[in-house]
Amino acid sequence: MLNLKSPIVKLVLTLITVGVVAGVAYIMKPPIGYNNGYQPEQPIPYDHSLHAGKYQIPCQYCHSNVEKSRHATVPSLNVCLNCHNNVAADRPLIKRLKAAHQAGESIPWVKVHLLPDYVKFNHKRHIQKGVQCTTCHGPIEEMKEVYQYSSLSMGWCIECHRRPEHNAPISCDTCHY
Ligand code: HEC
Ligand code: HEC
Ligand code: HEC
Ligand code: HEC
Ligand code: HEC
């Protein structure tokens, strides 16, 4: 019989428990790369699964620069108020949006994706070549809160550039100044 009071048995049981918990935590989380899985809390709980999912508002209605420039940009309050001047106008969160707009303030959204300054990245080129938002950003239309889906590491960029169907440049100065 196991003597549950023996220090050795206790130690072994503790180690097994710790191992199982760590293993489950590892499996549940996406692999830790650079900032993989980074999911900062936002000042207003803006929900992509509602807007882009349930109501199917096109990504580019809000991220309108993505085809035209390097940055996709996050929409200004004007865009939100196109709808929310009327839609759900009595709810506390929407009142906060309106109050900020009236005060000439913007919502300090916390950036989720951030490449180091020495990397050149350009949305326009990728969108023009037909790379989908979800290929790089994952199932945003299912996210209540946006998180970083891909590692954004150099290896991740190059792995895709090398694929025969893309055949994109991989010289250092493609992505570095
Ligand atoms: C109604 C407006 C709206 C629509 C539609 C919308 N977004 Fe957004 N998006 C936002 C706002 C506001 C933020 C900033 C707050 C946040 O991160 O949740 C944001 C943030 C993001 C971010 C993170 C930006 C960062 O900080 O790195 C990504 C990526 C993104 N959206 C992709 C998409 C994609 C892909 C779609 C379409 C499937 C989409 N969005 C549809 C408003 C919108
Ligand atoms: C080839 C991969 C790729 C594709 C395709 C892509 N993105 Fe991004 N996105 C990125 C990377 C990388 C960043 C971080 C850029 C930086 O920090 O300079 C980013 C950042 C963003 C941001 C934060 C603001 C900004 O521009 O830095 C938003 C919003 C966003 N993407 C939305 C979109 C939407 C909407 C689409 C589809 C129309 C899209 N992205 C397609 C890789 C991609
Ligand atoms: C094309 C129309 C449209 C745009 C643009 C839009 N929304 Fe919405 N939003 C909706 C709809 C529809 C709902 C669901 C309202 C309901 O539950 O009846 C909603 C719900 C919300 C809610 C939840 C309200 C609550 O407490 O129940 C928040 C917060 C919100 N939106 C924020 C934003 C922000 C921030 C923006 C701009 C980045 C934005 N919305 C842009 C249509 C829009
Ligand atoms: C899912 C595939 C994919 C991923 C991931 C990806 N790219 Fe690209 N990239 C492409 C394609 C396709 C092109 C267009 C090549 C062309 O114009 O023929 C491209 C083009 C570019 C260009 C323009 C090259 C030129 O012609 O000057 C730059 C810069 C670039 N990518 C940087 C990056 C960086 C940095 C990352 C990672 C943060 C990245 N890409 C991730 C597919 C990808
Ligand atoms: C397709 C885009 C792309 C190409 C091509 C590319 N890089 Fe990078 N590189 C990145 C990105 C994105 C990062 C930042 C993320 C990271 O550190 O992995 C980076 C980071 C780096 C770093 C910093 C690593 C660190 O740990 O701080 C060095 C050094 C570097 N690259 C050198 C090179 C050299 C040399 C080449 C040519 C052989 C090259 N890169 C080609 C995208 C690219």
Side-chain angles (χ1 to χ4, degrees), residues 62-81:
C62 290
H63 302 292
S64 52
N65 282 329
V66 77
E67 280 172 288
K68 291 177 255 175
S69 71
R70 226 189 104 128
H71 284 291
T73 64
V74 165
S76 70
L77 275 170
N78 288 324
V79 176
C80 312
L81 293 180

Side-chain angles (χ1 to χ4, degrees), residues 44-47 50-51 54-55 57 61-62 74-84 87-88 91-94 97 107 109:
I44 300 256
Y46 172 78
D47 183 351
L50 182 75
H51 292 85
K54 187 174 177 200
Y55 292 108
I57 307 172
Y61 180 86
C62 290
V74 165
S76 70
L77 275 170
N78 288 324
V79 176
C80 312
L81 293 180
N82 283 345
C83 293
H84 286 298
V87 176
R91 313 255 174 91
L93 288 172
I94 304 301
L97 294 182
I107 307 293
W109 303 113

Side-chain angles (χ1 to χ4, degrees), residues 24-155:
V24 168
Y26 182 79
I27 293 164
M28 304 281 289
K29 285 194 91 135
I32 297 162
Y34 293 79
N35 285 313
N36 260 40
Y38 179 51
Q39 185 174 41
E41 198 179 311
Q42 298 294 344
I44 300 256
Y46 172 78
D47 183 351
H48 277 80
S49 73
L50 182 75
H51 292 85
K54 187 174 177 200
Y55 292 108
Q56 304 204 344
I57 307 172
C59 309
Q60 293 178 21
Y61 180 86
C62 290
H63 302 292
S64 52
N65 282 329
V66 77
E67 280 172 288
K68 291 177 255 175
S69 71
R70 226 189 104 128
H71 284 291
T73 64
V74 165
S76 70
L77 275 170
N78 288 324
V79 176
C80 312
L81 293 180
N82 283 345
C83 293
H84 286 298
N85 264 327
N86 303 312
V87 176
D90 55 331
R91 313 255 174 91
L93 288 172
I94 304 301
K95 286 185 175 159
R96 267 173 67 190
L97 294 182
K98 286 192 169 187
H101 186 250
Q102 267 156 18
E105 288 162 8
S106 49
I107 307 293
W109 303 113
V110 183
K111 206 147 181 358
V112 182
H113 301 78
L114 194 55
L115 286 171
D117 288 342
Y118 55 81
V119 177
K120 281 191 247 175
F121 177 80
N122 194 326
H123 272 94
K124 183 175 150 189
R125 277 306 275 268
H126 294 91
I127 307 306
Q128 283 173 344
K129 289 286 168 171
V131 186
Q132 300 294 313
C133 310
T134 46
T135 305
C136 298
H137 291 298
I140 294 267
E141 71 288 349
E142 292 167 14
M143 295 179 195
K144 279 180 87 65
E145 220 174 285
V146 178
Y147 60 87
Q148 183 179 315
Y149 173 84
S150 301
S151 73
L152 309 192
S153 69
M154 175 161 142

Side-chain angles (χ1 to χ4, degrees), residues 34 115-116 118-119 152-155 157-158 161 169-172 174-176:
Y34 293 79
L115 286 171
Y118 55 81
V119 177
L152 309 192
S153 69
M154 175 161 142
C157 312
I158 289 182
H161 278 212
I170 52 168
S171 62
C172 311
T174 306
C175 306
H176 295 293

Side-chain angles (χ1 to χ4, degrees), residues 4-21:
L4 288 173
K5 289 202 174 128
S6 135
I8 305 259
V9 171
K10 274 190 185 162
L11 179 65
V12 169
L13 288 176
T14 311
L15 287 178
I16 291 174
T17 315
V18 168
V20 168
V21 170

